[in-house]
Each structure stands twice: as C-alpha cells, then as structure tokens.
Amino acid sequence: MRRLELKFTNQDGKTVTYTLDKPIEPADPAAINAAMDTIIEQNAFTSGGGDLVAKHSARISESTVEEIDLGQ
C-alpha cells in the first residue's frame, strides 16, 4: 500500500509524521506544500512535543505485506 507521509517539526524539535493512505498520484508538490502550510497555520494537529511549527519533508512510501502460513 502506498502512503503519503507528511513530516513536521514540533515545538520540542522532534519530527512528527502523519500518514495518508492511497494518495492521489502523481503527487502535486505545490498542493502538498500548501496543505502542510494550512495544517501549521490552523494548528490542526498537535503532538506529544507540542504544536507543529515547521515543515520537515514529505514523501510517498510503499510497503508490501506477505502472509506467512503457520500451518495451524
């Protein structure tokens, strides 16, 4: 499954990641940048280390899950 990861810096200087499943592709960097600005400006999310204060990065990640038959 592909996921959009939005990474922010919080007040403690730690990186906080929010993920969204099945992002629209190809990714629109301008739209993602604007969305991250809005999240910070509207203080839409908080973290254990305080408010989000800056954008860190954004990326699309993909993981693969393979079930293992345990024979039970």
Side-chain angles (χ1 to χ4, degrees), residues 13-67:
K14 306 282 185 181
T15 302
V16 178
T17 303
Y18 294 96
T19 60
L20 302 166
D21 294 340
K22 301 177 184 175
I24 295 171
E25 296 192 63
D28 180 347
I32 292 169
N33 201 33
M36 292 178 79
D37 284 340
T38 300
I39 289 169
I40 293 170
E41 289 167 8
Q42 295 187 4
N43 203 21
F45 301 110
T46 61
S47 70
D51 294 342
L52 305 179
V53 295
K55 293 177 285 187
H56 181 276
S57 60
R59 67 183 184 183
I60 292 178
S61 67
E62 184 170 1
S63 64
T64 303
V65 176
E66 182 177 333
E67 297 292 334

